[in-house]
PDB file of all heavy atoms in Angstrom:
ATOM      1  N   GLU B 278       1.406  17.957  30.864  1.00 93.00           N
ATOM      2  CA  GLU B 278       2.133  18.707  29.844  1.00 93.00           C
ATOM      3  C   GLU B 278       1.690  18.344  28.446  1.00 93.00           C
ATOM      4  O   GLU B 278       1.527  19.256  27.585  1.00 93.00           O
ATOM      5  CB  GLU B 278       3.671  18.394  29.994  1.00 93.00           C
ATOM      6  CG  GLU B 278       4.257  19.076  31.237  1.00 93.00           C
ATOM      7  CD  GLU B 278       5.730  18.721  31.457  1.00 93.00           C
ATOM      8  OE1 GLU B 278       6.119  17.617  31.027  1.00 93.00           O
ATOM      9  OE2 GLU B 278       6.433  19.544  32.057  1.00 93.00           O
ATOM     10  N   GLN B 279       1.411  17.066  28.215  1.00 91.00           N
ATOM     11  CA  GLN B 279       0.991  16.666  26.860  1.00 91.00           C
ATOM     12  C   GLN B 279      -0.417  17.177  26.566  1.00 91.00           C
ATOM     13  O   GLN B 279      -0.757  17.479  25.430  1.00 91.00           O
ATOM     14  CB  GLN B 279       1.096  15.104  26.753  1.00 91.00           C
ATOM     15  CG  GLN B 279       2.503  14.651  26.729  1.00 91.00           C
ATOM     16  CD  GLN B 279       2.656  13.212  26.363  1.00 91.00           C
ATOM     17  OE1 GLN B 279       1.650  12.515  26.137  1.00 91.00           O
ATOM     18  NE2 GLN B 279       3.881  12.686  26.266  1.00 91.00           N
ATOM     19  N   HIS B 280      -1.258  17.207  27.569  1.00 91.00           N
ATOM     20  CA  HIS B 280      -2.639  17.698  27.379  1.00 91.00           C
ATOM     21  C   HIS B 280      -2.609  19.193  26.988  1.00 91.00           C
ATOM     22  O   HIS B 280      -3.260  19.602  26.077  1.00 91.00           O
ATOM     23  CB  HIS B 280      -3.488  17.538  28.624  1.00 91.00           C
ATOM     24  CG  HIS B 280      -4.853  18.084  28.511  1.00 91.00           C
ATOM     25  ND1 HIS B 280      -5.826  17.506  27.701  1.00 91.00           N
ATOM     26  CD2 HIS B 280      -5.456  19.185  29.066  1.00 91.00           C
ATOM     27  CE1 HIS B 280      -6.932  18.218  27.778  1.00 91.00           C
ATOM     28  NE2 HIS B 280      -6.748  19.262  28.608  1.00 91.00           N
ATOM     29  N   LEU B 281      -1.768  19.979  27.669  1.00 93.00           N
ATOM     30  CA  LEU B 281      -1.632  21.435  27.335  1.00 93.00           C
ATOM     31  C   LEU B 281      -1.059  21.564  25.937  1.00 93.00           C
ATOM     32  O   LEU B 281      -1.521  22.400  25.158  1.00 93.00           O
ATOM     33  CB  LEU B 281      -0.714  22.124  28.377  1.00 93.00           C
ATOM     34  CG  LEU B 281      -0.445  23.611  28.061  1.00 93.00           C
ATOM     35  CD1 LEU B 281      -1.736  24.410  27.984  1.00 93.00           C
ATOM     36  CD2 LEU B 281       0.525  24.168  29.099  1.00 93.00           C
ATOM     37  N   ALA B 282      -0.046  20.754  25.589  1.00 91.00           N
ATOM     38  CA  ALA B 282       0.570  20.839  24.278  1.00 91.00           C
ATOM     39  C   ALA B 282      -0.470  20.583  23.197  1.00 91.00           C
ATOM     40  O   ALA B 282      -0.513  21.258  22.159  1.00 91.00           O
ATOM     41  CB  ALA B 282       1.727  19.826  24.179  1.00 91.00           C
ATOM     42  N   SER B 283      -1.357  19.614  23.423  1.00 89.00           N
ATOM     43  CA  SER B 283      -2.393  19.296  22.440  1.00 89.00           C
ATOM     44  C   SER B 283      -3.385  20.475  22.266  1.00 89.00           C
ATOM     45  O   SER B 283      -3.829  20.759  21.161  1.00 89.00           O
ATOM     46  CB  SER B 283      -3.132  17.994  22.801  1.00 89.00           C
ATOM     47  OG  SER B 283      -3.913  18.192  23.929  1.00 89.00           O
ATOM     48  N   LEU B 284      -3.705  21.133  23.429  1.00 90.00           N
ATOM     49  CA  LEU B 284      -4.559  22.297  23.348  1.00 90.00           C
ATOM     50  C   LEU B 284      -3.929  23.457  22.559  1.00 90.00           C
ATOM     51  O   LEU B 284      -4.626  24.273  21.940  1.00 90.00           O
ATOM     52  CB  LEU B 284      -4.946  22.783  24.736  1.00 90.00           C
ATOM     53  CG  LEU B 284      -5.839  21.891  25.607  1.00 90.00           C
ATOM     54  CD1 LEU B 284      -6.109  22.515  27.006  1.00 90.00           C
ATOM     55  CD2 LEU B 284      -7.197  21.658  24.918  1.00 90.00           C
ATOM     56  N   GLU B 285      -2.584  23.500  22.656  1.00 90.00           N
ATOM     57  CA  GLU B 285      -1.871  24.588  21.939  1.00 90.00           C
ATOM     58  C   GLU B 285      -1.594  24.189  20.484  1.00 90.00           C
ATOM     59  O   GLU B 285      -0.953  24.977  19.745  1.00 90.00           O
ATOM     60  CB  GLU B 285      -0.558  24.860  22.653  1.00 90.00           C
ATOM     61  CG  GLU B 285      -0.745  25.511  24.044  1.00 90.00           C
ATOM     62  CD  GLU B 285       0.520  25.684  24.840  1.00 90.00           C
ATOM     63  OE1 GLU B 285       1.475  24.916  24.590  1.00 90.00           O
ATOM     64  OE2 GLU B 285       0.571  26.618  25.689  1.00 90.00           O
ATOM     65  N   GLY B 286      -2.084  23.045  20.080  1.00 87.00           N
ATOM     66  CA  GLY B 286      -1.947  22.649  18.652  1.00 87.00           C
ATOM     67  C   GLY B 286      -0.617  22.035  18.358  1.00 87.00           C
ATOM     68  O   GLY B 286      -0.261  21.913  17.155  1.00 87.00           O
ATOM     69  N   LYS B 287       0.145  21.694  19.326  1.00 84.00           N
ATOM     70  CA  LYS B 287       1.460  21.057  19.086  1.00 84.00           C
ATOM     71  C   LYS B 287       1.331  19.550  18.875  1.00 84.00           C
ATOM     72  O   LYS B 287       0.422  18.935  19.460  1.00 84.00           O
ATOM     73  CB  LYS B 287       2.403  21.320  20.259  1.00 84.00           C
ATOM     74  CG  LYS B 287       2.717  22.786  20.483  1.00 84.00           C
ATOM     75  CD  LYS B 287       3.516  22.979  21.771  1.00 84.00           C
ATOM     76  CE  LYS B 287       3.749  24.481  22.035  1.00 84.00           C
ATOM     77  NZ  LYS B 287       4.330  24.695  23.374  1.00 84.00           N
ATOM     78  N   LYS B 288       2.148  19.027  18.040  1.00 76.00           N
ATOM     79  CA  LYS B 288       2.113  17.577  17.804  1.00 76.00           C
ATOM     80  C   LYS B 288       2.724  16.844  19.032  1.00 76.00           C
ATOM     81  O   LYS B 288       3.820  17.157  19.452  1.00 76.00           O
ATOM     82  CB  LYS B 288       2.907  17.193  16.544  1.00 76.00           C
ATOM     83  CG  LYS B 288       2.206  17.584  15.287  1.00 76.00           C
ATOM     84  CD  LYS B 288       2.983  17.126  14.046  1.00 76.00           C
ATOM     85  CE  LYS B 288       2.255  17.519  12.783  1.00 76.00           C
ATOM     86  NZ  LYS B 288       2.975  17.114  11.574  1.00 76.00           N
ATOM     87  N   THR B 289       1.915  15.985  19.586  1.00 70.00           N
ATOM     88  CA  THR B 289       2.396  15.288  20.808  1.00 70.00           C
ATOM     89  C   THR B 289       1.733  13.946  20.933  1.00 70.00           C
ATOM     90  O   THR B 289       0.672  13.696  20.330  1.00 70.00           O
ATOM     91  CB  THR B 289       2.021  16.164  22.079  1.00 70.00           C
ATOM     92  OG1 THR B 289       2.450  15.452  23.199  1.00 70.00           O
ATOM     93  CG2 THR B 289       0.548  16.435  22.172  1.00 70.00           C
ATOM     94  N   LYS B 290       2.356  13.135  21.678  1.00 71.00           N
ATOM     95  CA  LYS B 290       1.741  11.775  21.976  1.00 71.00           C
ATOM     96  C   LYS B 290       0.690  11.959  23.039  1.00 71.00           C
ATOM     97  O   LYS B 290       1.063  12.140  24.202  1.00 71.00           O
ATOM     98  CB  LYS B 290       2.899  10.806  22.452  1.00 71.00           C
ATOM     99  CG  LYS B 290       2.394   9.424  22.817  1.00 71.00           C
ATOM    100  CD  LYS B 290       3.430   8.619  23.598  1.00 71.00           C
ATOM    101  CE  LYS B 290       3.420   9.069  25.022  1.00 71.00           C
ATOM    102  NZ  LYS B 290       4.342   8.232  25.861  1.00 71.00           N
ATOM    103  N   GLU B 291      -0.516  11.978  22.659  1.00 67.00           N
ATOM    104  CA  GLU B 291      -1.649  12.128  23.561  1.00 67.00           C
ATOM    105  C   GLU B 291      -1.902  10.867  24.377  1.00 67.00           C
ATOM    106  O   GLU B 291      -1.944   9.794  23.786  1.00 67.00           O
ATOM    107  CB  GLU B 291      -2.898  12.604  22.840  1.00 67.00           C
ATOM    108  CG  GLU B 291      -4.118  12.886  23.730  1.00 67.00           C
ATOM    109  CD  GLU B 291      -3.918  14.065  24.670  1.00 67.00           C
ATOM    110  OE1 GLU B 291      -3.462  15.104  24.224  1.00 67.00           O
ATOM    111  OE2 GLU B 291      -4.185  13.864  25.851  1.00 67.00           O
ATOM    112  N   PHE B 292      -2.090  10.969  25.639  1.00 68.00           N
ATOM    113  CA  PHE B 292      -2.421   9.821  26.460  1.00 68.00           C
ATOM    114  C   PHE B 292      -3.844   9.324  26.101  1.00 68.00           C
ATOM    115  O   PHE B 292      -4.716  10.141  25.776  1.00 68.00           O
ATOM    116  CB  PHE B 292      -2.445  10.196  27.981  1.00 68.00           C
ATOM    117  CG  PHE B 292      -1.140  10.082  28.663  1.00 68.00           C
ATOM    118  CD1 PHE B 292       0.004  10.702  28.132  1.00 68.00           C
ATOM    119  CD2 PHE B 292      -1.022   9.413  29.835  1.00 68.00           C
ATOM    120  CE1 PHE B 292       1.239  10.604  28.783  1.00 68.00           C
ATOM    121  CE2 PHE B 292       0.186   9.288  30.501  1.00 68.00           C
ATOM    122  CZ  PHE B 292       1.331   9.903  29.989  1.00 68.00           C
ATOM    123  N   SER B 293      -4.082   8.044  26.104  1.00 73.00           N
ATOM    124  CA  SER B 293      -5.446   7.578  25.892  1.00 73.00           C
ATOM    125  C   SER B 293      -6.306   7.977  27.060  1.00 73.00           C
ATOM    126  O   SER B 293      -5.780   8.219  28.182  1.00 73.00           O
ATOM    127  CB  SER B 293      -5.462   6.048  25.740  1.00 73.00           C
ATOM    128  OG  SER B 293      -5.182   5.454  27.013  1.00 73.00           O
ATOM    129  N   ALA B 294      -7.586   8.095  26.849  1.00 74.00           N
ATOM    130  CA  ALA B 294      -8.524   8.519  27.902  1.00 74.00           C
ATOM    131  C   ALA B 294      -8.403   7.598  29.164  1.00 74.00           C
ATOM    132  O   ALA B 294      -8.397   8.042  30.290  1.00 74.00           O
ATOM    133  CB  ALA B 294      -9.964   8.503  27.382  1.00 74.00           C
ATOM    134  N   ALA B 295      -8.323   6.274  28.853  1.00 77.00           N
ATOM    135  CA  ALA B 295      -8.202   5.306  29.965  1.00 77.00           C
ATOM    136  C   ALA B 295      -6.900   5.455  30.761  1.00 77.00           C
ATOM    137  O   ALA B 295      -6.873   5.444  31.975  1.00 77.00           O
ATOM    138  CB  ALA B 295      -8.322   3.881  29.436  1.00 77.00           C
ATOM    139  N   ASN B 296      -5.814   5.664  29.951  1.00 81.00           N
ATOM    140  CA  ASN B 296      -4.491   5.798  30.576  1.00 81.00           C
ATOM    141  C   ASN B 296      -4.471   7.095  31.446  1.00 81.00           C
ATOM    142  O   ASN B 296      -3.912   7.085  32.538  1.00 81.00           O
ATOM    143  CB  ASN B 296      -3.456   5.872  29.481  1.00 81.00           C
ATOM    144  CG  ASN B 296      -2.025   5.631  30.010  1.00 81.00           C
ATOM    145  OD1 ASN B 296      -1.809   5.621  31.183  1.00 81.00           O
ATOM    146  ND2 ASN B 296      -1.092   5.413  29.109  1.00 81.00           N
ATOM    147  N   ARG B 297      -5.029   8.162  30.860  1.00 82.00           N
ATOM    148  CA  ARG B 297      -5.070   9.442  31.580  1.00 82.00           C
ATOM    149  C   ARG B 297      -5.870   9.315  32.861  1.00 82.00           C
ATOM    150  O   ARG B 297      -5.486   9.839  33.889  1.00 82.00           O
ATOM    151  CB  ARG B 297      -5.657  10.498  30.659  1.00 82.00           C
ATOM    152  CG  ARG B 297      -5.459  11.911  31.121  1.00 82.00           C
ATOM    153  CD  ARG B 297      -5.889  12.893  30.046  1.00 82.00           C
ATOM    154  NE  ARG B 297      -7.323  12.968  29.906  1.00 82.00           N
ATOM    155  CZ  ARG B 297      -7.958  13.675  28.984  1.00 82.00           C
ATOM    156  NH1 ARG B 297      -7.261  14.310  28.040  1.00 82.00           N
ATOM    157  NH2 ARG B 297      -9.266  13.703  28.939  1.00 82.00           N
ATOM    158  N   ALA B 298      -7.022   8.657  32.786  1.00 82.00           N
ATOM    159  CA  ALA B 298      -7.872   8.517  33.965  1.00 82.00           C
ATOM    160  C   ALA B 298      -7.150   7.722  35.066  1.00 82.00           C
ATOM    161  O   ALA B 298      -7.251   8.067  36.239  1.00 82.00           O
ATOM    162  CB  ALA B 298      -9.160   7.795  33.560  1.00 82.00           C
ATOM    163  N   THR B 299      -6.430   6.692  34.661  1.00 86.00           N
ATOM    164  CA  THR B 299      -5.720   5.874  35.623  1.00 86.00           C
ATOM    165  C   THR B 299      -4.577   6.682  36.302  1.00 86.00           C
ATOM    166  O   THR B 299      -4.398   6.648  37.527  1.00 86.00           O
ATOM    167  CB  THR B 299      -5.070   4.628  34.948  1.00 86.00           C
ATOM    168  OG1 THR B 299      -6.136   3.850  34.341  1.00 86.00           O
ATOM    169  CG2 THR B 299      -4.353   3.753  35.966  1.00 86.00           C
ATOM    170  N   THR B 300      -3.868   7.425  35.481  1.00 85.00           N
ATOM    171  CA  THR B 300      -2.760   8.281  35.958  1.00 85.00           C
ATOM    172  C   THR B 300      -3.301   9.326  36.949  1.00 85.00           C
ATOM    173  O   THR B 300      -2.704   9.525  38.026  1.00 85.00           O
ATOM    174  CB  THR B 300      -2.042   8.993  34.770  1.00 85.00           C
ATOM    175  OG1 THR B 300      -1.553   8.018  33.888  1.00 85.00           O
ATOM    176  CG2 THR B 300      -0.899   9.864  35.282  1.00 85.00           C
ATOM    177  N   LEU B 301      -4.405   9.951  36.570  1.00 85.00           N
ATOM    178  CA  LEU B 301      -4.975  10.952  37.479  1.00 85.00           C
ATOM    179  C   LEU B 301      -5.470  10.346  38.767  1.00 85.00           C
ATOM    180  O   LEU B 301      -5.260  10.880  39.846  1.00 85.00           O
ATOM    181  CB  LEU B 301      -6.161  11.646  36.735  1.00 85.00           C
ATOM    182  CG  LEU B 301      -6.866  12.768  37.469  1.00 85.00           C
ATOM    183  CD1 LEU B 301      -5.894  13.897  37.867  1.00 85.00           C
ATOM    184  CD2 LEU B 301      -8.015  13.329  36.684  1.00 85.00           C
ATOM    185  N   SER B 302      -6.149   9.201  38.650  1.00 86.00           N
ATOM    186  CA  SER B 302      -6.673   8.512  39.844  1.00 86.00           C
ATOM    187  C   SER B 302      -5.563   8.128  40.820  1.00 86.00           C
ATOM    188  O   SER B 302      -5.656   8.319  42.025  1.00 86.00           O
ATOM    189  CB  SER B 302      -7.439   7.253  39.428  1.00 86.00           C
ATOM    190  OG  SER B 302      -7.835   6.533  40.513  1.00 86.00           O
ATOM    191  N   ASN B 303      -4.391   7.634  40.278  1.00 87.00           N
ATOM    192  CA  ASN B 303      -3.295   7.260  41.105  1.00 87.00           C
ATOM    193  C   ASN B 303      -2.705   8.467  41.809  1.00 87.00           C
ATOM    194  O   ASN B 303      -2.287   8.426  42.977  1.00 87.00           O
ATOM    195  CB  ASN B 303      -2.192   6.575  40.260  1.00 87.00           C
ATOM    196  CG  ASN B 303      -2.628   5.201  39.817  1.00 87.00           C
ATOM    197  OD1 ASN B 303      -3.523   4.607  40.414  1.00 87.00           O
ATOM    198  ND2 ASN B 303      -1.955   4.698  38.768  1.00 87.00           N
ATOM    199  N   ALA B 304      -2.646   9.576  41.033  1.00 84.00           N
ATOM    200  CA  ALA B 304      -2.066  10.826  41.605  1.00 84.00           C
ATOM    201  C   ALA B 304      -2.904  11.357  42.700  1.00 84.00           C
ATOM    202  O   ALA B 304      -2.392  11.716  43.804  1.00 84.00           O
ATOM    203  CB  ALA B 304      -1.892  11.844  40.509  1.00 84.00           C
ATOM    204  N   VAL B 305      -4.211  11.374  42.499  1.00 86.00           N
ATOM    205  CA  VAL B 305      -5.145  11.893  43.522  1.00 86.00           C
ATOM    206  C   VAL B 305      -5.083  11.016  44.778  1.00 86.00           C
ATOM    207  O   VAL B 305      -5.103  11.501  45.881  1.00 86.00           O
ATOM    208  CB  VAL B 305      -6.602  12.002  42.962  1.00 86.00           C
ATOM    209  CG1 VAL B 305      -7.607  12.210  44.040  1.00 86.00           C
ATOM    210  CG2 VAL B 305      -6.683  13.134  41.948  1.00 86.00           C
ATOM    211  N   SER B 306      -4.982   9.690  44.550  1.00 87.00           N
ATOM    212  CA  SER B 306      -4.905   8.758  45.690  1.00 87.00           C
ATOM    213  C   SER B 306      -3.628   9.028  46.488  1.00 87.00           C
ATOM    214  O   SER B 306      -3.633   9.051  47.726  1.00 87.00           O
ATOM    215  CB  SER B 306      -4.904   7.365  45.145  1.00 87.00           C
ATOM    216  OG  SER B 306      -4.714   6.423  46.199  1.00 87.00           O
ATOM    217  N   THR B 307      -2.495   9.246  45.763  1.00 88.00           N
ATOM    218  CA  THR B 307      -1.198   9.526  46.490  1.00 88.00           C
ATOM    219  C   THR B 307      -1.322  10.818  47.284  1.00 88.00           C
ATOM    220  O   THR B 307      -0.931  10.855  48.464  1.00 88.00           O
ATOM    221  CB  THR B 307      -0.096   9.662  45.459  1.00 88.00           C
ATOM    222  OG1 THR B 307       0.021   8.457  44.724  1.00 88.00           O
ATOM    223  CG2 THR B 307       1.220   9.947  46.149  1.00 88.00           C
ATOM    224  N   LEU B 308      -1.851  11.867  46.712  1.00 90.00           N
ATOM    225  CA  LEU B 308      -1.954  13.132  47.374  1.00 90.00           C
ATOM    226  C   LEU B 308      -2.979  13.066  48.542  1.00 90.00           C
ATOM    227  O   LEU B 308      -2.866  13.755  49.544  1.00 90.00           O
ATOM    228  CB  LEU B 308      -2.311  14.271  46.411  1.00 90.00           C
ATOM    229  CG  LEU B 308      -1.229  14.638  45.385  1.00 90.00           C
ATOM    230  CD1 LEU B 308      -1.697  15.693  44.427  1.00 90.00           C
ATOM    231  CD2 LEU B 308       0.067  15.064  46.063  1.00 90.00           C
ATOM    232  N   SER B 309      -3.980  12.268  48.359  1.00 87.00           N
ATOM    233  CA  SER B 309      -4.958  12.090  49.430  1.00 87.00           C
ATOM    234  C   SER B 309      -4.329  11.378  50.626  1.00 87.00           C
ATOM    235  O   SER B 309      -4.642  11.748  51.777  1.00 87.00           O
ATOM    236  CB  SER B 309      -6.185  11.258  48.955  1.00 87.00           C
ATOM    237  OG  SER B 309      -6.874  11.961  47.944  1.00 87.00           O
ATOM    238  N   ASN B 310      -3.447  10.453  50.371  1.00 87.00           N
ATOM    239  CA  ASN B 310      -2.676   9.794  51.446  1.00 87.00           C
ATOM    240  C   ASN B 310      -1.798  10.822  52.176  1.00 87.00           C
ATOM    241  O   ASN B 310      -1.691  10.781  53.400  1.00 87.00           O
ATOM    242  CB  ASN B 310      -1.820   8.649  50.914  1.00 87.00           C
ATOM    243  CG  ASN B 310      -2.659   7.467  50.511  1.00 87.00           C
ATOM    244  OD1 ASN B 310      -3.779   7.307  50.951  1.00 87.00           O
ATOM    245  ND2 ASN B 310      -2.112   6.624  49.636  1.00 87.00           N
TER     246      ASN B 310
END
């Protein structure tokens, strides 16, 4: 949601690249299980 908000030019707390990568990796791992 925050990534989309930033693309739409809204002021938002953007996740750091490292934080985002970790979040995505954990999510993919969960769905893979």
Side-chain angles (χ1 to χ4, degrees):
E278 288 175 332
Q279 290 191 358
H280 178 69
L281 176 60
S283 69
L284 291 179
E285 292 175 333
K287 296 173 184 172
K288 287 185 179 178
T289 177
K290 178 194 81 175
E291 180 66 47
F292 272 51
S293 70
N296 197 348
R297 194 171 73 186
T299 302
T300 302
L301 181 60
S302 174
N303 289 342
V305 167
S306 176
T307 300
L308 293 177
S309 295
N310 288 339

